[in-house]
Amino acid sequence: MPIRPRVDAKTARRTMAEIAPRYSKQEARVEAERCLYCFDAPCIQSCPTGIDVPAFIQKIAAGSLTGAARTILEANVLGSSCARACPTQVLCEGACVLLDRDEQPIKIGRLQRYATDHVFDNDITVLSAAAEKSGKRVVLIGAGPASLGCAAELARLGHETVVYEKRLLAGGLNTYGIAYYKMKPEVSLAEVELVRSLGVEFREGVEVGRDVSMDTLREQFDAVFIGTGLGGTHRLGIPGEELPEVVDALSFIEEIRTSPLDEVAVGDRVAVIGCGNTAIDAITQAKRLGASTAFIVYRRGADDMSAYEFEYALAKADGGEFMFHRQPVAILGGPHVTGLRVAETQLDAEGRTVLVPGTETDLAVDMVIEALGQSKMKEVLLAWLPALELDARGAIVRDFDTGATNVDGVY
């Protein structure tokens, strides 16, 4: 049978609500006052964007929410989305010195959200473009987080900045690919508007290579920034993969983020293939949208999964099940999915995962979600710039200090 929506709008709003609700004023003040405001704060060192965490928390404690948000957004223009989607448990909060005292770490992510929500909700301006223009023009390809952060910094340095995005909405994975219960699309789109307010021009619905050539961009701009991210998701390459109820995890998550929640179709028994954080997002949202059973099939063990421990715990708390040391060998059914055939796995002498003969088992499922990682955009990149140097994995070779590639003016 075809899959169908399984929850009404009211239920969907409840089950897909953000995990950590916004702090109240009193809650934020109490949490901020727990901070020791370390001079050589390890939380700053653990933040990929170097936000001065003690400084913004101290401002929250003093009641200066605008000042706190300014401290955050000057370091990271995407501080609002990072407050929700960043794995703070293993970064800034994981480095909190209170853990050495067997105390709970400061809830840095929730405090960061509290401060940034204040300026977005009240339309308060805390960032501005440079008053003096440099006369330089920079084009950025792709409007995901990398390009948004880069574009904001360039605008604040006085450069004229234009972002090309093939989709109709900017924001990349923040708009289309983050689990709904972590962050709603509106948060990402508000950040896009913040970047736009700095004078950055967005040309959405325009695809480089189709609507405009790379040669044209290099002629018209002083520098090119490639922020395209990754390509399509990997496939299993097994029989039955063409059936309509076999979807990739990012497409499933995108539908959740672009359609009314009560119109998103989901199976009654859902199998998710893979065990990274995207797989966790998929299984958790399938359960929250009404699947009676949802389980992850992973060819290795729990110690090998790339998902964070707190994500793993979340999926189990939502009723997700895990089937380790199993690998799909066929998807059953026609014209609709009716089952998944899996076989047990083991490691060979060289540490590779291999199937154990004679261990196949058929599982009753009506939806299969593939979360197998994404491919590099090697073919696209070389079509744009045949001289561009890529490594063995298909990633762009660049100077890690400047971002410069081997092609002059391309970063």
Side-chain angles (χ1 to χ4, degrees):
M1 294 289 291
I3 58 177
R4 59 175 178 79
R6 297 182 180 276
V7 293
D8 57 35
K10 182 178 179 180
T11 301
R13 286 195 297 271
R14 175 177 57 80
T15 61
M16 296 291 276
E18 292 185 352
I19 298 173
R22 183 189 305 187
Y23 273 143
S24 67
K25 181 178 180 180
Q26 179 64 18
E27 288 171 332
R29 181 71 63 88
V30 169
E31 185 65 19
E33 290 177 348
R34 291 180 57 230
C35 184
L36 301 179
Y37 312 125
C38 302
F39 173 74
D40 188 17
C43 53
I44 300 177
Q45 304 304 318
S46 297
C47 175
T49 60
I51 294 172
D52 190 336
V53 176
F56 92 72
I57 293 180
Q58 194 166 33
K59 289 173 183 176
I60 291 176
S64 177
L65 297 188
T66 299
R70 181 177 290 108
T71 297
I72 295 164
L73 296 174
E74 284 182 344
N76 178 9
V77 73
L78 304 182
S80 182
S81 59
C82 286
R84 294 163 165 86
C86 185
T88 55
Q89 294 91 332
V90 296
L91 294 174
C92 55
E93 293 174 18
C96 182
V97 297
L98 292 181
L99 288 169
D100 296 332
R101 303 183 176 191
D102 293 325
E103 297 180 34
Q104 285 293 311
I106 302 300
K107 300 299 182 184
I108 298 170
R110 295 185 70 180
L111 289 173
Q112 185 166 311
R113 174 189 170 175
Y114 180 71
T116 54
D117 279 0
H118 167 73
V119 296
F120 280 106
D121 289 352
N122 294 285
D123 198 24
I124 298 171
T125 300
V126 295
L127 299 179
S128 59
E132 185 175 343
K133 302 304 179 183
S134 70
K136 299 292 186 181
R137 304 182 73 230
V138 182
V139 62
L140 299 93
I141 304 174
S147 288
L148 292 177
C150 183
E153 292 301 315
L154 291 169
R156 294 173 66 199
L157 291 171
H159 305 312
E160 181 183 345
T161 308
V162 180
V163 180
Y164 280 81
E165 168 57 49
K166 68 179 181 180
R167 310 191 78 160
L168 295 180
L169 294 175
L173 279 180
N174 280 5
T175 297
Y176 292 103
I178 300 293
Y180 194 92
Y181 59 83
K182 293 179 181 176
M183 181 178 77
K184 292 180 173 59
E186 291 80 4
V187 176
S188 175
L189 297 176
E191 289 179 327
V192 172
E193 292 309 307
L194 172 58
V195 176
R196 197 191 306 271
S197 73
L198 298 175
V200 175
E201 179 184 350
F202 287 86
R203 298 180 184 176
E204 294 146 320
V206 181
E207 183 174 348
V208 175
R210 183 193 66 187
D211 304 310
V212 61
S213 71
M214 178 65 81
D215 288 342
T216 298
L217 295 181
R218 294 185 68 198
E219 291 171 0
Q220 294 179 349
F221 293 88
D222 297 292
V224 177
F225 176 80
I226 300 176
T228 51
L230 295 172
T233 53
H234 296 300
R235 304 303 304 277
L236 288 165
I238 61 176
E241 204 168 15
E242 75 286 349
L243 293 174
E245 294 81 19
V246 181
V247 300
D248 70 83
L250 288 179
S251 295
F252 177 59
I253 295 170
E254 179 178 336
E255 183 180 4
I256 293 170
R257 295 179 68 83
T258 56
S259 304
L261 294 175
D262 59 332
E263 295 180 10
V264 177
V266 66
D268 180 56
R269 293 181 57 84
V270 179
V272 179
I273 316 303
C275 207
N277 294 310
T278 300
I280 298 294
D281 288 349
I283 189 175
T284 301
Q285 290 180 113
K287 284 292 295 180
R288 293 180 178 220
L289 288 175
S292 64
T293 301
F295 55 89
I296 276 179
V297 178
Y298 183 47
R299 62 192 177 92
R300 291 181 177 263
D303 292 339
D304 302 302
M305 64 182 180
S306 59
Y308 296 119
E309 282 293 330
F310 70 88
E311 298 272 19
Y312 178 45
L314 174 65
K316 290 193 294 184
D318 275 356
E321 302 172 21
F322 289 77
M323 186 175 292
F324 295 113
H325 300 292
R326 299 291 190 279
Q327 182 167 319
V329 295
I331 298 168
L332 310 177
H336 301 288
V337 170
T338 60
L340 180 69
R341 181 166 297 160
V342 300
E344 295 181 17
T345 64
Q346 63 184 15
L347 299 181
D348 65 12
E350 297 180 1
R352 297 173 301 188
T353 302
V354 296
L355 300 178
V356 179
T359 60
E360 290 83 2
T361 303
D362 291 350
L363 309 172
V365 303
D366 55 1
M367 184 179 189
V368 176
I369 302 176
E370 298 177 339
L372 305 170
Q374 294 173 262
S375 61
K376 302 292 191 297
M377 296 185 65
K378 179 177 179 180
E379 291 77 13
V380 172
L381 293 171
L382 292 180
W384 290 346
L385 292 166
L388 187 65
E389 184 181 356
L390 306 178
D391 65 19
R393 301 172 299 121
I396 300 173
V397 176
R398 73 279 191 196
D399 184 307
F400 279 89
D401 291 327
T402 65
T405 71
N406 68 303
V407 179
D408 186 46
V410 178
Y411 297 83

